[in-house]
């Protein structure tokens, strides 16, 4: 079933003078390499859900997301690849031109339904969900971001893969978080080993409670993790110029593209923490690249060409940020 996805994903060392200077060893798990759209943690979360849908003969899946959502992109693409119908309930009005994420989702056969923000807030209400079932036919409803127990099971494999791939246990494993489902699954999979730094992509501390609850529901009470909530960089969906600079510089010096909303902000936060001497010399960090590179296309549409990530398919010679601009 998962023939189009290559796992385990590889781990590479990140070699930079900056890291040498501070004597911090950084490794990156390139989970972004699973698939351009079914990327990183979104694949991890879908894997066992899809297995269950196939086993139970589910033919139609309905889910929720914002207009640039990596989750919507992934669900559309798995629907196309594994031949089931998908419906995306999208937050906000339909624009006259679909953005790249939604355009691709529709191309992949996803039926897009736009709802206003007030209605979208009801996405967890059973009553609205059954109305949606009546409107769009019997379907499996997958929560926003794909976070449920089967998703955690898939994300737990991030933890087991890391422990199998590395000949040592890293001091910290860094993961970016939106709903916290990936972080909770990772912590579960690590079974008490290493120590997880969860970088919130959203303002506030609520993820601490949310991740705690997700773990409790799994019967897990691990304490080897901490929420880092200082590096949301402008808030969710925003991209500050300094973050863009950082991402671009990181790409030019390492060859590794980070995404604009999650992994770029996390890596910038990690580098700031290193500079602030938050880690002792000799510390090893394993950073999970959770994917999300499809989000660059939307950034380009919103802010202009400077935000373009053309990926491996670009033939112009400069694979990243074709124009060097920020003003
Ligand atoms: C969705 C996403 C996350 C957040 O995952 P959660 O499980 O919701 O915390 C992190 N990184 C990337 C690239 C994502 O697309």
């Amino acid at each position: 079933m998962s023939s189009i996805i290559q796992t385990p994903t590889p781990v590479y060392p990140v070699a930079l003078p900056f890291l040498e200077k501070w004597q911090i060893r950084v490794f990156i798990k390139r989970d972004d390499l699973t698939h351009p759209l079914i990327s990183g943690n979104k694949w991890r979360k879908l894997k066992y859900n899809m297995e269950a849908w196939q086993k139970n003969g589910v033919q139609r899946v309905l889910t929720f997301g914002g207009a640039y959502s990596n989750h919507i992109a992934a669900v559309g693409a798995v629907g196309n690849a594994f031949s089931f119908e998908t419906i995306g309930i999208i937050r906000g009005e339909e624009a006259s031109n679909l953005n790249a994420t939604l355009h691709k989702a529709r191309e992949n056969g996803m039926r897009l339904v736009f709802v206003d923000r007030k209605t979208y807030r009801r996405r967890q209400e059973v009553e609205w969900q059954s109305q949606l079932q009546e409107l769009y036919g019997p379907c499996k409803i997958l929560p926003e971001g794909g976070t449920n127990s089967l998703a955690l099971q898939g994300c737990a494999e991030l933890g087991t893969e890391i422990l199998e791939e590395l000949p040592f246990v890293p001091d910290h494993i860094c993961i970016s978080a939106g709903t916290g489902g990936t972080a909770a699954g990772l912590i579960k999979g690590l079974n008490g080993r290493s120590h997880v730094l969860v970088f919130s992509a959203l303002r506030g501390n609520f993820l601490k409670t949310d991740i705690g609850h997700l773990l409790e529901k799994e019967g897990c009470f691990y304490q080897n993790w901490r929420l880092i909530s200082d590096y949301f960089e402008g808030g969710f969906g925003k991209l500050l110029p300094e973050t863009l600079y950082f991402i671009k510089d990181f790409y030019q010096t390492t060859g590794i593209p980070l995404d604009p909303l999650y992994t770029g902000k996390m890596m910038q936060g990690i580098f700031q923490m290193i500079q602030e001497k938050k880690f002792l010399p000799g510390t090893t960090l394993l950073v999970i690249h959770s994917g999300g590179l499809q989000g660059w296309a939307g950034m380009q549409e919103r802010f202009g060409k400077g935000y373009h990530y053309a990926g491996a398919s670009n033939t112009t010679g400069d694979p990243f940020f074709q124009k060097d601009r920020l003003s």
Side-chain angles (χ1 to χ4, degrees), residues 93-249:
E93 299 300 312
E94 179 167 9
S96 49
N97 277 322
L98 285 185
N99 73 49
T101 301
L102 297 179
H103 179 77
K104 193 75 198 165
R106 185 173 276 172
E107 220 174 71
N108 276 328
M110 182 178 260
R111 176 169 183 183
L112 301 176
V113 179
F114 293 84
V115 300
D116 61 56
R117 280 159 197 272
K118 195 169 155 224
T119 311
Y120 188 84
R121 256 178 250 134
R122 299 179 60 202
R123 63 194 174 278
Q124 287 170 2
E125 285 177 22
V126 179
E127 198 190 319
W128 190 42
Q129 290 189 355
S130 47
Q131 282 170 12
L132 288 170
Q133 302 251 17
E134 273 165 39
L135 277 169
Y136 303 111
C139 54
K140 185 76 200 167
I141 293 186
L142 186 65
E144 180 184 53
T147 294
N148 59 17
S149 184
L150 289 171
L152 262 62
Q153 190 187 333
C155 294
E157 291 179 354
L158 280 169
T160 48
E161 276 181 26
I162 290 166
L163 295 172
E164 278 167 20
E165 282 167 309
L166 292 178
F168 56 88
V169 179
D171 294 312
H172 302 282
I173 297 175
C174 305
I175 183 76
S176 178
T179 65
T182 307
L186 168 69
I187 293 162
K188 183 180 181 197
L190 288 169
N191 196 10
R193 280 161 295 182
S194 191
H195 178 265
V196 178
L197 297 177
V198 182
F199 286 78
S200 178
L202 292 87
R203 195 184 300 271
N205 272 319
F206 63 93
L207 276 178
K208 196 170 172 215
T209 318
D210 289 3
I211 293 170
H213 283 157
L214 286 168
L215 284 167
E216 257 172 55
K217 269 197 258 168
E218 301 288 310
C220 300
F221 299 90
Y222 299 114
Q223 298 296 320
N224 58 323
W225 64 280
R226 186 156 74 90
L227 182 72
I228 311 281
S229 49
D230 305 328
Y231 302 104
F232 51 84
E233 309 303 339
F236 188 70
K238 304 280 183 341
L239 178 59
L240 298 180
E242 50 271 37
T243 306
L244 181 60
Y245 269 128
F246 175 86
I247 293 172
K248 186 179 165 186
D249 189 56

Side-chain angles (χ1 to χ4, degrees), residues 41-42 45 70 145 147 176-183 259 262-263 290-292:
N41 67 340
K42 298 303 183 281
K45 288 169 148 195
N70 294 330
T147 294
S176 178
T179 65
T182 307
D259 86 289
Y262 294 99
T263 56
S290 43

Side-chain angles (χ1 to χ4, degrees), residues 247-266:
I247 293 172
K248 186 179 165 186
D249 189 56
F250 189 81
Y251 178 77
Q252 282 169 349
T253 50
T254 65
I256 300 167
L258 301 169
D259 86 289
L261 302 186
Y262 294 99
T263 56
K265 294 177 178 187
M266 167 175 64

Side-chain angles (χ1 to χ4, degrees), residues 45-90:
K45 288 169 148 195
L46 285 168
K47 181 180 169 189
Y48 289 108
N49 276 294
M50 274 176 40
E51 225 172 74
W53 301 336
Q54 289 181 325
K55 210 171 77 196
N56 301 326
V58 171
Q59 286 171 14
R60 190 180 295 125
V61 172
L62 180 147
T63 194
F64 307 86
Y68 297 94
S69 161
N70 294 330
H71 170 65
I72 289 291
V75 172
V78 291
N80 186 36
F82 300 108
S83 303
F84 53 88
E85 280 177 52
T86 55
I87 299 160
I89 307 293
I90 310 298

